[in-house]
Amino acid sequence: MSDSLSRRDFLTSTAAGVAATGALDIAFPMRPPRPLPPQGRWAAKPVAVSSANGLRAVQKAFDLLLQGADTLDAVIEGVKIQELDPNDDSVGYGGLPNADGVVQLDASCMHGPTKRAGAVGALEGIKTPSEVAKLVLKYTNHIFLVGEGAKHFALQYGFKEEDLLTEHSREAWLHWRANLNPDDDYLDVPETEHLSARPTGTINCNAVTPQGDVSSVTTTSGLAFKIPGRVGDSPLIGAGQYTDNDVGAAGSTGRGESNIKVCGGFLTVEFMRRGMKPTDACLETLKRVVQLTEPRLLGRDGRPKFSINFYAVNKRGDFGAASLYPGRYAAHDGSEAKLRDLAYLYERPAASR
Ligand code: GLY
């Protein structure tokens, strides 16, 4: 994919966005789209910021912001593109399964204007867990539903139960299982034919409306081939994402266990509350991650052997993102949706032992 969406893509997606802003086209909207104040009276620079797999998400979210959509509706409609894409094996439909070959999805979201939160964990059979998290936020007195209960809840609202494994994700799991133990009865698959790393992809998206309203969402299939029932950071409010409408929002992708220990979404927002710019806040959270990393996860040079990223926006529409090592993230800052360089702590990945 190119680093920025072409003008033609932009016009096409904007046209699609216009069609999608009828209230009925956003499933379970927080509120119908409404006209924006004149540009001179905007309280914030509208922006949408996401992990690198979210180039289409930030375009979609930004289009919706400019058509007066609610901030949470905008980010959910954005990340749904990835959830429904069978070629993104880190999220939703086509996400890599757990050790038993079952896809278990996690998602959470927060809505700044109403101060509400919703989440689902280990959800099976539903392609768009971000939408289910939004339903928990919108329609219940609870925040977090898991497993069978979360699925039952989704089905009650009309979601369809579907097989979330694609040909690719099933094959990746079968190869992983075959190579797990050289002494078992599954013949090993040559290294060149199977995944050597266990991906922890995810999508986080944060957005600020022209009125300065903020939201965040994070959705994932979690660590590939995880122990069944494992829930990562993504559905944990304060870890996978966090929003405070007075300050801003932040979210994370990468090794969930390392984020959970620092409550990274919350911590990043707290750093912004104390006056840090979004990028500096993300870097500060990463330093805390390193501080709390167990020796078994560090290379000989003391650097973490995993990847983890943080993304942040403040209430004015400033934004930034950072990682342990160089990489990219997606943002729409009002001019175009494009990939940008992450700030980072270390030039090079950890040296192996
Ligand atoms: N950050 C995604 C996960 O670890 O599940």
Side-chain angles (χ1 to χ4, degrees):
M1 194 185 294
S2 71
D3 276 10
S4 66
L5 293 179
S6 69
R7 182 168 161 74
R8 191 158 157 272
D9 291 338
F10 174 80
L11 292 174
T12 312
S13 72
T14 304
V18 172
T21 50
L24 295 177
D25 291 323
I26 296 177
F28 306 102
M30 293 300 291
R31 61 159 173 76
R34 56 184 181 225
L36 295 178
Q39 199 162 349
R41 299 225 307 269
W42 286 2
K45 201 159 60 92
V47 290
V49 175
S50 173
S51 39
N53 53 350
L55 199 53
R56 292 178 296 173
V58 295
Q59 180 71 67
K60 178 76 179 180
F62 190 84
D63 290 345
L64 289 172
L65 293 180
L66 283 205
Q67 291 155 56
D70 173 80
T71 167
L72 182 60
D73 291 336
V75 291
I76 300 273
E77 293 306 303
V79 299
K80 266 169 58 186
I81 297 171
Q82 255 7 70
E83 290 180 326
L84 293 169
D85 182 349
N87 297 316
D88 186 334
D89 65 12
S90 72
V91 181
Y93 175 52
L96 292 171
N98 65 20
D100 288 345
V102 177
V103 181
Q104 289 188 324
L105 304 175
D106 298 336
S108 67
C109 56
M110 282 185 85
H111 185 234
T114 58
K115 307 174 198 260
R116 297 178 81 144
V120 290
L123 174 64
E124 297 176 12
I126 308 290
K127 284 181 170 172
T128 55
S130 69
E131 277 188 307
V132 186
K134 185 171 93 169
L135 294 192
V136 175
L137 175 152
K138 185 170 157 68
Y139 293 118
T140 80
N141 186 34
H142 306 318
I143 286 183
F144 197 1
L145 300 181
V146 300
E148 275 303 308
K151 177 158 80 178
H152 186 64
F153 173 80
L155 297 178
Q156 286 174 335
Y157 281 86
F159 285 76
K160 267 203 333 237
E161 185 169 358
E162 296 175 81
D163 180 1
L164 302 187
L165 277 180
T166 56
E167 212 176 304
H168 161 76
S169 57
R170 184 189 304 279
E171 200 182 336
W173 169 66
L174 289 171
H175 284 188
W176 169 81
R177 189 179 66 173
N179 286 24
L180 199 54
N181 178 355
D183 299 325
D184 68 17
D185 292 326
Y186 294 107
L187 300 179
D188 286 1
V189 176
E191 286 297 319
T192 49
E193 288 179 33
H194 87 116
L195 286 168
S196 52
R198 294 172 68 192
T200 45
T202 295
I203 182 166
N204 162 248
C205 189
N206 313 289
V208 184
T209 67
Q211 294 93 333
D213 284 329
V214 189
S215 273
S216 52
V217 61
T218 300
T219 174
T220 190
S221 50
L223 180 66
F225 320 129
K226 60 198 172 186
I227 296 173
R230 178 264 189 186
V231 164
D233 60 322
S234 304
L236 304 184
I237 307 297
Q241 55 73 44
Y242 191 74
T243 292
D244 180 329
N245 215 44
D246 292 338
V247 179
S252 181
T253 60
R255 188 172 189 277
E257 282 73 6
S258 296
N259 182 24
I260 291 171
K261 288 192 295 180
V262 303
C263 305
F266 176 77
L267 187 61
T268 306
V269 170
E270 288 310 295
F271 284 137
M272 290 194 289
R273 191 193 306 278
R274 292 184 214 163
M276 281 189 194
K277 295 194 171 117
T279 304
D280 294 336
C282 293
L283 285 167
E284 213 51 37
T285 300
L286 284 163
K287 288 181 196 161
R288 190 70 66 84
V289 168
V290 175
Q291 254 175 27
L292 280 182
T293 297
E294 303 143 55
R296 72 185 172 90
L297 295 171
L298 297 173
R300 311 193 232 101
D301 49 13
R303 296 177 185 176
K305 294 190 285 185
F306 53 85
S307 86
I308 185 166
N309 303 344
F310 291 93
Y311 316 88
V313 295
N314 69 21
K315 194 174 171 53
R316 291 187 302 278
D318 305 318
F319 63 90
S323 181
L324 292 172
Y325 303 106
R328 314 275 270 165
Y329 72 108
H332 198 314
D333 64 351
S335 55
E336 61 177 339
K338 69 172 187 182
L339 294 179
R340 294 156 192 269
D341 291 332
L342 291 162
Y344 54 86
L345 285 188
Y346 307 113
E347 283 279 349
R348 288 182 315 280
S352 52
R353 283 181 197 281

